[in-house]
Amino acid sequence: MIFFPNMTMRRYVHEQKGTGVYGESVGQYTYTEEILVDFQHENNQEFAKRYGIERQNLYKIYINQSVSLADEDLLIDEYDNQYLIVGEI
């Protein structure tokens, strides 16, 4: 696959900080690095086939193979829009 980076995003890693009053996990996001990404809109037909529904505001983000992401990571673009990972990496 050809990688065409068109955006820089800030990566934040979720770190667990303890347990809350009701036994829930309490954590916070910590900045780790800036990464170059190939940012593309999700094709609704492809998503509808895979999950049986149609959604708005979904994107595909391609990154360099040397960057490892976790399911809990948070990505923020230069306009402070936040992106969470949905599905598999």
Side-chain angles (χ1 to χ4, degrees):
M1 183 180 146
I2 300 172
F3 178 62
F4 293 106
N6 59 359
M7 183 183 295
T8 301
M9 296 186 127
R10 298 184 309 270
R11 177 179 170 220
Y12 291 81
V13 175
H14 188 265
E15 296 178 348
Q16 190 162 341
K17 294 294 183 183
T19 305
V21 177
Y22 301 104
E24 76 278 9
S25 297
V26 176
Q28 71 179 34
Y29 284 99
T30 305
Y31 172 79
T32 56
E33 63 185 327
E34 285 191 353
I35 57 175
L36 287 173
V37 302
D38 182 355
F39 187 84
Q40 299 178 7
H41 291 279
E42 175 77 40
N43 180 348
N44 275 331
Q45 290 177 342
E46 181 180 324
F47 190 80
K49 276 186 201 174
R50 193 176 327 148
Y51 298 105
I53 57 174
E54 196 167 320
R55 291 218 154 154
Q56 299 296 324
N57 298 330
L58 290 177
Y59 306 96
K60 286 185 179 180
I61 298 175
Y62 296 96
I63 61 172
N64 192 326
Q65 290 180 342
S66 65
V67 177
S68 62
L69 291 177
D71 292 340
E72 303 87 23
D73 286 356
L74 173 70
L75 300 172
I76 300 178
D77 66 12
E78 61 263 11
Y79 305 107
D80 290 330
N81 297 314
Q82 298 182 1
Y83 302 90
L84 295 173
I85 298 170
V86 176
E88 58 189 48
I89 296 178

